[in-house]
Amino acid sequence: ASHFDRQRMIARLVDHLQGPPSDAGGADLTAPVAGLRGVGAKRAELLEKLGVFTVEDLLYYLPRRLEDRTRFVSIGSLAAGDEAAVRGKILAVDQHRVGRGMTVIKAAIGDGTGFLYAVWFNQPWIAQQLRRGEEVDVFGRAEWKFREWQMPSPTWEPSGAGQEIGRLVPIYPATEGLTDRLVRSLVERNLDPYLPAIRDVVPADVRAEAGLPDARDAIASIHRPSGADDFDRARRALAFEELFLLQIGLLASTRDRTGAPHAGSGQLVNSLLASLPFPLTAAQQRALREIRRDLSEPLRMMRLLQGDVRSGKTLVAVPAALCAIEAGFQ
């Protein structure tokens, strides 16, 4: 099951045992994502391609990394390959076609120390949004091309807006028609109304022992981190929660170990062992003996075969597979 599936199962279990949290404010995490602010039917289809079907899925759609967009530099101090933010005044905006089906928007930006050309491809609407004389913030990778500083496809916004530039920005996996910026906007719009409904499925004493925040704080911090340490701590907390749920699932499976015996005649195993130009080591013989004993029982076997590199684990695993084949299984 995916992380989203496990979250839904745990949420149903918690609701059954203790009821919904008292401070949830009527928020329904299982509601379809199509009903959220800024989504709609078309965007909901795109979100479903990312595995996001419900409100809870959106809150648990986690950024893959954190991008530092706080470093503003002057154009005159740029170096090739620099990823930085620049604040300057729009001096000119040019739009022209290059070849078939390619539109290039080029905005000249100056800050008193030099000139930078922000370049966008096949986004003609940007030319209508950029106005000469206005101050803007742009963020991207600087390149020295054609004897001028360029920044291809930068993120931009009005100077001082602080939405996409001038802060730490979580970067989300995206898909065609659904940009990282749009995903971030959708999460930001819907985080506050639904955050109180997040349940903490890991016991408080377990979290305290691990030194990790609860689920609600972790979700808030990973989408709105105050710093890199805050982001990493939230990511560790959510990874811990996923592993905890996995371990609970494994523990539950061990309580009902009903299985089918995989006992065969032993002819294939014995034939293989007899054909080897050397005998198995004492440790290999002991491991294989224990595995064959478990396979003969009507219980599910849960074992980990562990050994150093080139210690001969394969020569234990192959006879175990032959036991299953002899019993008519794959």
Side-chain angles (χ1 to χ4, degrees):
S2 70
H3 175 71
F4 294 148
D5 293 333
R6 290 195 292 274
Q7 279 296 127
R8 280 190 278 264
M9 289 187 285
I10 291 296
R12 286 195 293 269
L13 176 61
V14 171
D15 277 347
H16 177 70
L17 294 177
Q18 63 185 36
S22 57
D23 56 349
D28 180 10
L29 293 178
T30 65
V33 73
L36 290 178
R37 293 173 55 196
V39 179
K42 186 174 181 179
R43 285 181 179 172
E45 290 182 7
L46 295 173
L47 285 167
E48 288 177 4
K49 293 181 179 179
L50 299 175
V52 177
F53 297 88
T54 68
V55 176
E56 185 176 42
D57 293 343
L58 182 64
L59 297 190
Y60 274 87
Y61 192 70
L62 307 181
R64 64 177 185 269
R65 63 184 176 90
L66 189 64
E67 190 167 76
D68 186 353
R69 299 181 181 176
T70 61
R71 190 173 72 96
F72 279 85
V73 302
S74 63
I75 296 173
S77 64
L78 283 173
D82 265 1
E83 195 169 55
V86 170
R87 176 170 294 172
K89 184 177 293 186
I90 300 175
L91 305 176
V93 179
D94 181 44
Q95 176 177 344
H96 60 278
R97 297 181 68 84
V98 179
R100 297 181 60 184
M102 174 69 75
T103 301
V104 177
I105 309 298
K106 194 172 182 180
I109 298 171
D111 68 350
T113 69
F115 303 98
L116 170 72
Y117 293 88
V119 183
W120 293 271
F121 304 94
N122 285 338
Q123 300 179 65
W125 58 89
I126 290 181
Q128 308 303 316
Q129 299 171 351
L130 298 172
R131 291 179 174 83
R132 183 178 175 180
E134 291 188 351
E135 272 204 343
V136 292
D137 294 339
V138 294
F139 175 86
R141 190 174 299 278
E143 297 180 355
W144 180 252
K145 296 178 66 174
F146 310 116
R147 301 180 67 183
E148 64 186 25
W149 283 113
Q150 292 190 4
M151 191 174 281
S153 304
T155 299
W156 75 279
E157 64 186 11
S159 179
Q163 295 297 313
E164 292 290 318
I165 304 172
R167 69 182 188 96
L168 296 171
V169 178
I171 304 299
Y172 296 84
T175 187
E176 186 176 356
L178 197 64
T179 64
D180 154 72
R181 187 169 184 166
L182 180 54
V183 172
R184 187 163 47 253
S185 173
L186 294 176
V187 172
E188 180 62 31
R189 287 186 189 185
N190 295 284
L191 187 57
D192 286 334
Y194 291 96
L195 190 61
I198 293 289
R199 303 161 185 77
D200 199 15
V201 299
V202 178
D205 57 336
V206 175
R207 280 200 185 272
E209 184 177 351
L212 297 172
D214 63 28
R216 195 176 303 172
D217 287 343
I219 288 293
S221 295
I222 205 164
H223 292 304
R224 295 173 180 161
S226 60
D229 290 343
D230 191 38
F231 182 83
D232 289 339
R233 188 165 175 259
R235 186 162 54 181
R236 287 198 304 272
L238 294 169
F240 182 91
E241 177 182 280
E242 186 164 355
L243 288 173
F244 180 81
L245 296 179
L246 178 61
Q247 291 299 313
I248 292 296
L250 289 174
L251 179 63
S253 71
T254 63
R255 293 179 178 176
D256 178 17
R257 292 185 56 200
T258 303
H262 288 52
S265 64
Q267 183 177 352
L268 287 177
V269 175
N270 295 336
S271 175
L272 171 67
L273 297 179
S275 69
L276 296 176
F278 50 82
L280 296 184
T281 66
Q284 287 174 320
Q285 292 179 34
R286 183 174 64 253
L288 182 56
R289 190 163 54 246
E290 292 175 0
I291 290 172
R292 293 181 74 175
R293 184 182 65 237
D294 278 5
L295 287 174
S296 67
E297 298 289 337
L299 301 171
R300 280 183 290 168
M301 179 175 69
M302 299 191 68
R303 282 188 174 272
L304 171 66
L305 181 63
Q306 183 173 332
D308 293 335
V309 175
R310 302 184 67 84
S311 63
K313 296 184 293 295
T314 303
L315 273 179
V316 176
V318 170
L322 292 177
C323 289
I325 292 172
E326 286 184 334
F329 295 94
Q330 292 185 342

